[in-house]
Coordinates of all heavy atoms in Angstrom, one line a residue:
M1342 N 12.7 -64.3 -26.8 CA 12.1 -65.3 -25.9 C 13.1 -66.0 -25.1 O 14.1 -66.6 -25.7 CB 11.2 -66.3 -26.7 CG 10.5 -67.3 -26.0 SD 9.7 -68.5 -27.1 CE 8.0 -68.3 -26.6
K1343 N 13.0 -66.1 -23.8 CA 13.9 -66.7 -22.9 C 13.7 -68.2 -22.9 O 12.6 -68.7 -22.8 CB 13.7 -66.2 -21.5 CG 14.6 -66.7 -20.5 CD 14.6 -65.8 -19.2 CE 13.4 -66.3 -18.4 NZ 13.4 -65.7 -17.0
P1344 N 14.8 -69.0 -23.1 CA 14.6 -70.5 -23.0 C 14.2 -71.0 -21.7 O 14.6 -70.4 -20.6 CB 16.0 -71.0 -23.4 CG 16.9 -69.9 -23.1 CD 16.2 -68.7 -23.2
K1345 N 13.4 -72.0 -21.6 CA 12.9 -72.6 -20.4 C 14.0 -73.4 -19.7 O 14.8 -74.1 -20.4 CB 11.7 -73.5 -20.6 CG 10.5 -72.7 -21.1 CD 9.3 -73.7 -21.3 CE 8.2 -72.9 -21.9 NZ 7.1 -73.7 -22.2
S1346 N 14.1 -73.4 -18.4 CA 15.1 -74.2 -17.7 C 14.6 -75.7 -17.8 O 13.4 -75.9 -17.9 CB 15.2 -73.8 -16.3 OG 14.0 -74.0 -15.6
N1347 N 15.5 -76.6 -17.8 CA 15.1 -78.0 -17.9 C 14.9 -78.6 -16.6 O 15.6 -79.4 -16.1 CB 16.1 -78.8 -18.8 CG 15.5 -80.1 -19.2 OD1 14.4 -80.4 -18.9 ND2 16.3 -80.8 -20.0
I1348 N 13.8 -78.1 -15.9 CA 13.4 -78.6 -14.6 C 13.2 -80.1 -14.6 O 13.6 -80.8 -13.6 CB 12.2 -77.9 -14.1 CG1 12.4 -76.4 -13.8 CG2 11.6 -78.6 -12.8 CD1 13.4 -76.2 -12.7
A1349 N 12.6 -80.7 -15.6 CA 12.3 -82.1 -15.7 C 13.6 -82.9 -15.6 O 13.6 -84.1 -15.1 CB 11.6 -82.4 -17.0
A1350 N 14.7 -82.4 -16.0 CA 16.0 -83.1 -15.9 C 16.5 -83.3 -14.5 O 17.2 -84.3 -14.3 CB 17.1 -82.4 -16.8
I1351 N 16.1 -82.4 -13.6 CA 16.6 -82.6 -12.2 C 15.6 -83.3 -11.3 O 16.0 -83.6 -10.2 CB 16.9 -81.2 -11.6 CG1 15.7 -80.3 -11.4 CG2 18.0 -80.5 -12.4 CD1 15.9 -79.1 -10.6
L1352 N 14.5 -83.6 -11.8 CA 13.5 -84.4 -11.0 C 13.4 -85.8 -11.5 O 13.5 -86.1 -12.7 CB 12.1 -83.7 -11.2 CG 12.0 -82.3 -10.7 CD1 10.7 -81.6 -11.1 CD2 12.2 -82.2 -9.2
S1353 N 13.1 -86.7 -10.6 CA 12.9 -88.1 -10.9 C 11.5 -88.3 -11.5 O 10.6 -87.4 -11.4 CB 13.0 -89.0 -9.6 OG 11.8 -88.8 -8.8
N1354 N 11.3 -89.4 -12.2 CA 10.0 -89.7 -12.8 C 8.9 -89.7 -11.7 O 7.8 -89.2 -12.0 CB 10.0 -91.1 -13.5 CG 10.8 -91.0 -14.8 OD1 11.0 -89.9 -15.4 ND2 11.4 -92.1 -15.2
R1355 N 9.2 -90.3 -10.6 CA 8.2 -90.3 -9.5 C 7.9 -88.9 -9.0 O 6.7 -88.5 -8.8 CB 8.7 -91.1 -8.3 CG 7.8 -91.2 -7.1 CD 6.5 -91.9 -7.5 NE 6.6 -93.3 -7.3 CZ 5.7 -94.2 -7.5 NH1 4.5 -93.9 -8.0 NH2 5.9 -95.5 -7.3
E1356 N 8.9 -88.0 -8.9 CA 8.6 -86.6 -8.5 C 7.8 -85.9 -9.6 O 6.8 -85.1 -9.2 CB 9.9 -85.9 -8.3 CG 10.7 -86.3 -7.1 CD 12.1 -85.9 -7.0 OE1 12.7 -85.5 -8.0 OE2 12.7 -85.9 -5.9
L1357 N 8.0 -86.1 -10.8 CA 7.2 -85.6 -11.9 C 5.8 -86.1 -11.8 O 4.8 -85.3 -12.0 CB 7.8 -85.9 -13.3 CG 9.1 -85.2 -13.6 CD1 9.7 -85.8 -14.9 CD2 8.9 -83.7 -13.7
E1358 N 5.6 -87.3 -11.5 CA 4.3 -87.9 -11.4 C 3.5 -87.3 -10.2 O 2.3 -86.9 -10.3 CB 4.4 -89.4 -11.1 CG 3.2 -90.2 -11.2 CD 3.4 -91.7 -11.2 OE1 4.6 -92.1 -10.9 OE2 2.5 -92.4 -11.5
I1359 N 4.2 -87.0 -9.1 CA 3.6 -86.4 -7.9 C 3.2 -85.0 -8.2 O 2.2 -84.5 -7.9 CB 4.6 -86.5 -6.7 CG1 4.5 -88.0 -6.2 CG2 4.1 -85.6 -5.6 CD1 5.5 -88.3 -5.1
I1360 N 4.1 -84.2 -9.0 CA 3.7 -82.9 -9.4 C 2.5 -82.9 -10.2 O 1.6 -82.0 -10.0 CB 4.9 -82.2 -10.2 CG1 6.1 -81.9 -9.2 CG2 4.4 -80.9 -10.9 CD1 7.3 -81.4 -9.9
R1361 N 2.3 -83.8 -11.1 CA 1.1 -83.9 -12.0 C -0.1 -84.1 -11.1 O -1.2 -83.5 -11.3 CB 1.3 -85.0 -13.0 CG 2.3 -84.6 -14.1 CD 2.4 -85.6 -15.2 NE 3.5 -85.3 -16.1 CZ 4.7 -85.9 -16.1 NH1 4.9 -86.9 -15.3 NH2 5.6 -85.5 -16.9
L1362 N 0.0 -85.0 -10.1 CA -1.1 -85.2 -9.2 C -1.4 -84.0 -8.3 O -2.6 -83.7 -8.0 CB -0.9 -86.5 -8.4 CG -0.8 -87.8 -9.2 CD1 -0.3 -88.9 -8.3 CD2 -2.1 -88.1 -9.9
I1363 N -0.4 -83.3 -7.9 CA -0.6 -82.1 -7.1 C -1.4 -81.1 -7.9 O -2.3 -80.4 -7.4 CB 0.7 -81.5 -6.6 CG1 1.4 -82.4 -5.5 CG2 0.5 -80.1 -6.1 CD1 2.8 -82.1 -5.2
T1364 N -1.1 -80.9 -9.2 CA -1.8 -80.0 -10.0 C -3.2 -80.4 -10.3 O -4.0 -79.5 -10.7 CB -1.1 -79.7 -11.4 OG1 -1.1 -81.0 -12.1 CG2 0.4 -79.2 -11.2
K1365 N -3.5 -81.7 -10.0 CA -4.9 -82.1 -10.1 C -5.6 -82.0 -8.8 O -6.7 -82.6 -8.6 CB -4.9 -83.6 -10.6 CG -4.5 -83.7 -12.1 CD -4.5 -85.2 -12.5 CE -4.1 -85.3 -13.9 NZ -4.1 -86.7 -14.4
E1366 N -5.0 -81.4 -7.8 CA -5.5 -81.1 -6.5 C -5.7 -82.4 -5.6 O -6.5 -82.5 -4.7 CB -6.9 -80.4 -6.6 CG -6.8 -79.1 -7.2 CD -8.1 -78.3 -7.2 OE1 -8.7 -78.1 -6.1 OE2 -8.6 -78.0 -8.3
Y1367 N -4.8 -83.4 -5.8 CA -4.8 -84.6 -5.0 C -4.1 -84.2 -3.7 O -3.1 -83.5 -3.6 CB -4.0 -85.7 -5.6 CG -4.7 -86.5 -6.7 CD1 -5.4 -85.9 -7.7 CD2 -4.5 -87.9 -6.7 CE1 -6.0 -86.7 -8.7 CE2 -5.1 -88.6 -7.7 CZ -5.9 -88.0 -8.7 OH -6.5 -88.8 -9.6
S1368 N -4.6 -84.7 -2.6 CA -4.0 -84.5 -1.3 C -2.9 -85.5 -1.1 O -2.7 -86.4 -2.0 CB -5.0 -84.8 -0.1 OG -5.4 -86.2 -0.1
N1369 N -2.0 -85.4 -0.1 CA -1.0 -86.3 0.1 C -1.5 -87.7 0.3 O -1.0 -88.7 -0.3 CB -0.2 -86.0 1.4 CG 0.8 -84.8 1.1 OD1 0.9 -84.3 0.0 ND2 1.4 -84.3 2.2
Q1370 N -2.6 -87.9 1.0 CA -3.2 -89.2 1.2 C -3.7 -89.7 -0.1 O -3.6 -90.9 -0.4 CB -4.3 -89.2 2.2 CG -4.9 -90.5 2.5 CD -3.8 -91.5 3.1 OE1 -3.2 -91.2 4.1 NE2 -3.6 -92.6 2.4
D1371 N -4.4 -88.9 -1.0 CA -4.9 -89.3 -2.3 C -3.7 -89.8 -3.2 O -3.9 -90.8 -3.9 CB -5.6 -88.2 -3.0 CG -6.9 -87.8 -2.3 OD1 -7.5 -88.6 -1.5 OD2 -7.4 -86.7 -2.5
I1372 N -2.6 -89.0 -3.1 CA -1.5 -89.4 -4.0 C -0.9 -90.7 -3.5 O -0.6 -91.6 -4.3 CB -0.4 -88.3 -3.9 CG1 -0.9 -87.0 -4.6 CG2 0.9 -88.8 -4.5 CD1 0.0 -85.8 -4.3
A1373 N -0.8 -90.9 -2.2 CA -0.3 -92.2 -1.6 C -1.1 -93.3 -2.0 O -0.6 -94.4 -2.5 CB -0.2 -92.1 -0.1
T1374 N -2.4 -93.2 -2.0 CA -3.4 -94.2 -2.3 C -3.3 -94.5 -3.8 O -3.2 -95.7 -4.3 CB -4.8 -93.9 -2.0 OG1 -4.9 -93.6 -0.6 CG2 -5.8 -94.9 -2.4
H1375 N -3.2 -93.5 -4.6 CA -3.2 -93.6 -6.1 C -1.9 -94.3 -6.5 O -1.9 -95.2 -7.5 CB -3.3 -92.3 -6.8 CG -3.3 -92.3 -8.2 ND1 -4.4 -92.6 -9.0 CD2 -2.3 -92.0 -9.1 CE1 -4.1 -92.6 -10.3 NE2 -2.8 -92.2 -10.4
L1376 N -0.8 -94.0 -5.9 CA 0.5 -94.6 -6.3 C 0.9 -95.8 -5.5 O 2.0 -96.4 -5.7 CB 1.6 -93.5 -6.1 CG 1.5 -92.3 -7.0 CD1 2.6 -91.3 -6.7 CD2 1.5 -92.7 -8.5
D1377 N 0.1 -96.2 -4.5 CA 0.3 -97.3 -3.6 C 1.7 -97.2 -2.9 O 2.5 -98.1 -2.9 CB 0.3 -98.7 -4.5 CG 0.1 -99.9 -3.6 OD1 -0.4 -99.7 -2.5 OD2 0.6 -101.0 -4.0
I1378 N 1.8 -96.0 -2.3 CA 3.0 -95.7 -1.4 C 2.5 -95.1 -0.1 O 1.3 -94.8 -0.1 CB 4.0 -94.8 -2.1 CG1 3.4 -93.5 -2.5 CG2 4.7 -95.5 -3.3 CD1 4.3 -92.5 -3.2
S1379 N 3.3 -95.0 0.8 CA 2.9 -94.4 2.1 C 2.7 -92.9 2.0 O 3.4 -92.2 1.2 CB 3.8 -94.7 3.2 OG 5.0 -94.0 3.2
K1380 N 1.9 -92.3 2.9 CA 1.8 -90.8 2.9 C 3.1 -90.2 3.3 O 3.4 -89.1 2.7 CB 0.7 -90.5 4.0 CG 0.4 -89.0 4.0 CD -0.7 -88.8 5.1 CE -0.9 -87.3 5.3 NZ -1.7 -87.0 6.4
R1381 N 3.8 -90.8 4.1 CA 5.2 -90.3 4.5 C 6.1 -90.2 3.3 O 6.9 -89.3 3.2 CB 5.8 -91.2 5.6 CG 7.1 -90.7 6.1 CD 7.0 -89.5 7.0 NE 8.3 -89.2 7.5 CZ 9.0 -88.1 7.3 NH1 8.4 -87.1 6.6 NH2 10.2 -87.9 7.8
T1382 N 6.1 -91.2 2.4 CA 6.9 -91.2 1.2 C 6.5 -90.0 0.3 O 7.3 -89.4 -0.2 CB 6.8 -92.5 0.5 OG1 7.2 -93.6 1.4 CG2 7.6 -92.6 -0.8
V1383 N 5.2 -89.8 0.2 CA 4.7 -88.6 -0.6 C 5.3 -87.3 0.0 O 5.8 -86.5 -0.7 CB 3.2 -88.6 -0.6 CG1 2.7 -87.3 -1.3 CG2 2.6 -89.8 -1.3
E1384 N 5.2 -87.2 1.3 CA 5.7 -86.0 2.0 C 7.2 -85.8 1.7 O 7.6 -84.7 1.5 CB 5.4 -86.1 3.5 CG 3.9 -86.0 3.8 CD 3.6 -86.4 5.3 OE1 4.5 -86.8 6.0 OE2 2.4 -86.3 5.6
T1385 N 7.9 -86.9 1.7 CA 9.4 -86.8 1.5 C 9.6 -86.4 0.0 O 10.5 -85.5 -0.3 CB 10.1 -88.2 1.7 OG1 9.9 -88.5 3.1 CG2 11.5 -88.1 1.4
H1386 N 8.9 -87.0 -0.9 CA 9.0 -86.6 -2.3 C 8.7 -85.1 -2.5 O 9.4 -84.3 -3.2 CB 8.1 -87.4 -3.2 CG 8.6 -88.7 -3.6 ND1 9.8 -89.0 -4.1 CD2 8.0 -90.0 -3.4 CE1 10.0 -90.3 -4.3 NE2 8.9 -90.9 -3.9
R1387 N 7.6 -84.6 -1.8 CA 7.2 -83.2 -1.9 C 8.3 -82.3 -1.4 O 8.7 -81.3 -2.0 CB 5.9 -82.9 -1.2 CG 4.7 -83.4 -1.9 CD 3.5 -83.2 -1.1 NE 3.2 -81.8 -1.0 CZ 2.0 -81.2 -1.2 NH1 1.0 -82.0 -1.6 NH2 1.8 -80.0 -1.1
K1388 N 8.9 -82.7 -0.3 CA 10.0 -81.9 0.3 C 11.2 -81.9 -0.6 O 11.8 -80.8 -0.9 CB 10.4 -82.6 1.7 CG 11.6 -81.9 2.4 CD 12.0 -82.6 3.6 CE 12.6 -83.9 3.2 NZ 13.6 -84.5 4.0
N1389 N 11.5 -83.0 -1.3 CA 12.6 -83.0 -2.2 C 12.3 -82.2 -3.5 O 13.2 -81.5 -4.0 CB 12.9 -84.4 -2.6 CG 13.5 -85.2 -1.5 OD1 14.1 -84.6 -0.5 ND2 13.4 -86.5 -1.5
I1390 N 11.1 -82.2 -3.9 CA 10.7 -81.4 -5.1 C 10.9 -79.9 -4.8 O 11.4 -79.2 -5.6 CB 9.2 -81.7 -5.5 CG1 9.1 -83.1 -6.0 CG2 8.7 -80.6 -6.4 CD1 7.6 -83.6 -6.1
F1391 N 10.4 -79.5 -3.6 CA 10.5 -78.1 -3.2 C 12.0 -77.7 -3.1 O 12.4 -76.6 -3.5 CB 9.8 -77.8 -1.8 CG 8.3 -77.6 -2.0 CD1 7.5 -78.7 -2.4 CD2 7.8 -76.4 -1.8 CE1 6.1 -78.5 -2.5 CE2 6.4 -76.1 -1.9 CZ 5.6 -77.2 -2.3
K1392 N 12.9 -78.6 -2.6 CA 14.3 -78.2 -2.5 C 14.9 -78.1 -3.9 O 15.7 -77.2 -4.1 CB 15.0 -79.3 -1.7 CG 15.0 -79.2 -0.2 CD 15.8 -80.3 0.4 CE 15.7 -80.3 1.9 NZ 16.5 -81.4 2.5
K1393 N 14.6 -79.1 -4.7 CA 15.2 -79.1 -6.1 C 14.8 -77.9 -6.9 O 15.6 -77.4 -7.7 CB 14.9 -80.4 -6.8 CG 15.6 -81.6 -6.2 CD 15.2 -82.9 -7.0 CE 15.9 -84.1 -6.5 NZ 15.5 -85.3 -7.3
T1394 N 13.5 -77.6 -6.8 CA 13.0 -76.5 -7.7 C 13.1 -75.1 -7.0 O 12.9 -74.1 -7.7 CB 11.5 -76.8 -8.0 OG1 10.7 -76.8 -6.8 CG2 11.4 -78.1 -8.8
K1395 N 13.4 -75.1 -5.7 CA 13.5 -73.8 -5.0 C 12.2 -73.0 -4.9 O 12.2 -71.8 -4.9 CB 14.6 -73.0 -5.5 CG 16.0 -73.7 -5.3 CD 17.1 -72.8 -5.8 CE 18.4 -73.6 -5.5 NZ 19.3 -73.8 -6.6
V1396 N 11.1 -73.7 -5.0 CA 9.8 -73.0 -4.8 C 9.4 -73.1 -3.4 O 9.9 -73.9 -2.6 CB 8.6 -73.6 -5.7 CG1 8.9 -73.5 -7.2 CG2 8.4 -75.1 -5.4
K1397 N 8.5 -72.1 -3.0 CA 8.2 -72.0 -1.6 C 6.7 -72.4 -1.2 O 6.4 -72.4 -0.1 CB 8.5 -70.6 -1.1 CG 9.9 -70.2 -1.2 CD 10.2 -68.8 -0.7 CE 11.6 -68.5 -0.4 NZ 12.5 -68.2 -1.4
S1398 N 5.9 -72.6 -2.3 CA 4.5 -73.0 -2.0 C 4.0 -73.9 -3.1 O 4.6 -74.0 -4.2 CB 3.7 -71.7 -1.9 OG 3.6 -71.1 -3.2
V1399 N 2.8 -74.5 -2.9 CA 2.2 -75.3 -3.9 C 1.8 -74.4 -5.1 O 1.9 -74.9 -6.2 CB 1.0 -76.0 -3.3 CG1 0.2 -76.7 -4.4 CG2 1.4 -77.0 -2.2
V1400 N 1.4 -73.2 -4.8 CA 1.0 -72.3 -6.0 C 2.3 -72.1 -6.8 O 2.2 -72.2 -8.1 CB 0.5 -71.0 -5.4 CG1 0.3 -70.0 -6.6 CG2 -0.8 -71.2 -4.7
G1401 N 3.4 -71.9 -6.2 CA 4.7 -71.7 -7.0 C 5.0 -72.9 -7.7 O 5.5 -72.8 -8.9
L1402 N 4.8 -74.1 -7.1 CA 5.0 -75.3 -7.8 C 4.1 -75.5 -9.0 O 4.6 -75.9 -10.1 CB 4.9 -76.5 -6.8 CG 5.2 -77.9 -7.4 CD1 6.7 -78.0 -7.8 CD2 4.9 -78.9 -6.3
V1403 N 2.9 -75.2 -8.9 CA 1.9 -75.3 -10.0 C 2.4 -74.3 -11.2 O 2.4 -74.7 -12.3 CB 0.5 -75.0 -9.6 CG1 -0.5 -75.0 -10.8 CG2 0.0 -76.1 -8.6
V1404 N 2.7 -73.1 -10.8 CA 3.2 -72.2 -11.8 C 4.4 -72.7 -12.5 O 4.5 -72.6 -13.8 CB 3.4 -70.8 -11.2 CG1 4.2 -69.8 -12.1 CG2 2.1 -70.2 -10.7
L1405 N 5.4 -73.2 -11.8 CA 6.6 -73.8 -12.3 C 6.2 -74.9 -13.3 O 6.8 -75.0 -14.4 CB 7.5 -74.3 -11.2 CG 8.8 -74.9 -11.7 CD1 9.9 -73.8 -11.9 CD2 9.3 -75.9 -10.7
A1406 N 5.3 -75.8 -12.9 CA 4.9 -76.9 -13.7 C 4.3 -76.5 -15.0 O 4.6 -77.0 -16.1 CB 3.9 -77.8 -12.9
L1407 N 3.5 -75.5 -15.0 CA 2.8 -75.0 -16.2 C 3.8 -74.3 -17.1 O 3.8 -74.5 -18.3 CB 1.7 -74.0 -15.8 CG 0.5 -74.6 -15.1 CD1 -0.4 -73.5 -14.6 CD2 -0.2 -75.5 -16.0
K1408 N 4.7 -73.5 -16.5 CA 5.7 -72.8 -17.4 C 6.7 -73.7 -18.0 O 7.2 -73.4 -19.1 CB 6.5 -71.8 -16.5 CG 5.7 -70.5 -16.1 CD 6.6 -69.6 -15.4 CE 5.9 -68.3 -15.1 NZ 6.7 -67.4 -14.3
N1409 N 6.9 -74.9 -17.4 CA 7.9 -75.8 -17.9 C 7.2 -77.0 -18.6 O 7.9 -78.0 -18.8 CB 8.8 -76.3 -16.8 CG 9.8 -75.2 -16.4 OD1 10.8 -75.0 -17.1 ND2 9.4 -74.4 -15.4
D1410 N 6.0 -76.9 -18.9 CA 5.2 -78.0 -19.6 C 5.4 -79.3 -18.9 O 5.5 -80.4 -19.6 CB 5.6 -78.1 -21.1 CG 5.4 -76.8 -21.8 OD1 4.3 -76.2 -21.6 OD2 6.2 -76.4 -22.7
L1411 N 5.3 -79.3 -17.6 CA 5.4 -80.6 -16.9 C 4.0 -81.3 -16.7 O 3.9 -82.4 -16.3 CB 6.0 -80.4 -15.5 CG 7.4 -79.8 -15.4 CD1 7.8 -79.6 -14.0 CD2 8.4 -80.6 -16.2
V1412 N 3.0 -80.5 -17.0 CA 1.6 -81.1 -17.0 C 0.9 -80.9 -18.3 O 1.2 -80.0 -19.1 CB 0.7 -80.3 -15.9 CG1 1.2 -80.7 -14.5 CG2 0.7 -78.9 -16.1
P1413 N 0.1 -81.9 -18.7 CA -0.6 -81.9 -20.0 C -1.6 -80.8 -20.1 O -2.1 -80.3 -19.1 CB -1.2 -83.2 -20.1 CG -1.1 -83.9 -18.8 CD -0.2 -83.1 -17.9

């Protein structure tokens, strides 16, 4: 069995929170409202998440989150 990479270590707590909300199918606007931040801030966090994890799509991000136990 191959050990899981520690993706959580390279992401901030806010980025992890946004990933959890993305996996619950929240839109950028829904995430912004839920976290009381601007939609633009959510977009920036998403961009940074994609760069750090090297995924290319939301589907890839959800798969990564599931494989690394980032979501309950």
Side-chain angles (χ1 to χ4, degrees):
M1342 181 187 240
K1343 183 167 82 169
K1345 295 178 183 178
S1346 62
N1347 196 358
I1348 292 295
I1351 64 169
L1352 298 170
S1353 70
N1354 288 336
R1355 180 64 90 182
E1356 290 167 342
L1357 291 170
E1358 191 171 15
I1359 288 174
I1360 289 172
R1361 290 183 188 105
L1362 294 172
I1363 290 169
T1364 63
K1365 292 180 180 180
E1366 300 184 58
Y1367 280 46
S1368 68
N1369 284 352
Q1370 186 59 58
D1371 293 339
I1372 293 170
T1374 301
H1375 183 77
L1376 298 177
D1377 197 27
I1378 58 177
S1379 76
K1380 183 179 172 189
R1381 179 76 174 119
T1382 300
V1383 174
E1384 292 167 358
T1385 300
H1386 282 303
R1387 283 179 68 132
K1388 180 184 69 154
N1389 291 338
I1390 291 166
F1391 278 70
K1392 277 184 185 177
K1393 288 179 179 181
T1394 61
K1395 297 183 175 126
V1396 296
K1397 295 182 168 77
S1398 68
V1399 173
V1400 172
L1402 183 61
V1403 171
V1404 169
L1405 179 86
L1407 292 171
K1408 284 184 178 179
N1409 289 277
D1410 299 321
L1411 300 180
V1412 291

